[in-house]
Amino acid sequence: MTQRDVVFPPGRQALYERNRYSPAIRSNGFLFVSGQVGSTEDGSPEPELETQVRLAFNNLNAILGSAGCTFDDVIDVTVFIVDPESKFETIWKVVPEFWGNAPHPTLTAVGVTWLYGFEFEIKVIAKLPETIRS
């Protein structure tokens, strides 16, 4: 079995161990990041949608930063939204705060019925900078 090169953001390792998954794995020059939600430090959902989306991006950025990346290194994004028809506009007005300038990454948006109490989740693949590839 190949040893996984796991990336943990500061202060949240216990959360990932409790839920039995890796926040991100480096492999072949890429960083594969698990879906990030707008959770507080204890893992509970932030109730207000805009704040929840910002927290999801902040949690994502903490993982990217731990791997030596930024959102500019992201090449593929998948978002999951509970009831996207009613929430998309609210979510999408927060996105430009984190998305950066064009050209933007690829995007797949998926409407779902349940996200463990959350309303938004973001999962990405980033290209690791040349200097830190493994």
Side-chain angles (χ1 to χ4, degrees), residues 9-85:
R12 293 180 61 97
Q13 187 164 350
L15 177 65
Y16 295 107
E17 288 175 358
R18 183 177 73 221
N19 291 310
R20 298 179 175 250
Y21 70 98
S22 297
I25 294 179
R26 289 184 195 97
S27 181
N28 295 322
F30 293 95
L31 182 70
F32 297 85
V33 182
S34 292
Q36 296 300 302
V37 293
S39 61
T40 59
E41 284 190 24
D42 69 359
S44 64
E46 161 57 46
E48 199 275 317
L49 181 57
E50 283 188 42
T51 304
Q52 188 180 118
V53 174
R54 284 186 185 93
L55 270 174
F57 273 97
N58 289 338
N59 292 336
L60 170 63
N61 285 336
I63 293 170
L64 291 170
S66 293
C69 296
T70 69
F71 196 84
D72 289 339
D73 297 305
V74 170
I75 57 174
D76 185 59
V77 176
T78 304
V79 294
F80 303 91
I81 303 169
V82 174
D83 189 14
E85 189 172 357

Side-chain angles (χ1 to χ4, degrees), residues 107-126:
L107 172 68
T108 301
V110 181
V112 297
T113 58
W114 186 76
L115 286 174
Y116 203 66
F118 297 91
E119 300 178 74
F120 174 83
E121 182 172 345
I122 182 168
K123 173 181 178 33
V124 305
I125 299 170

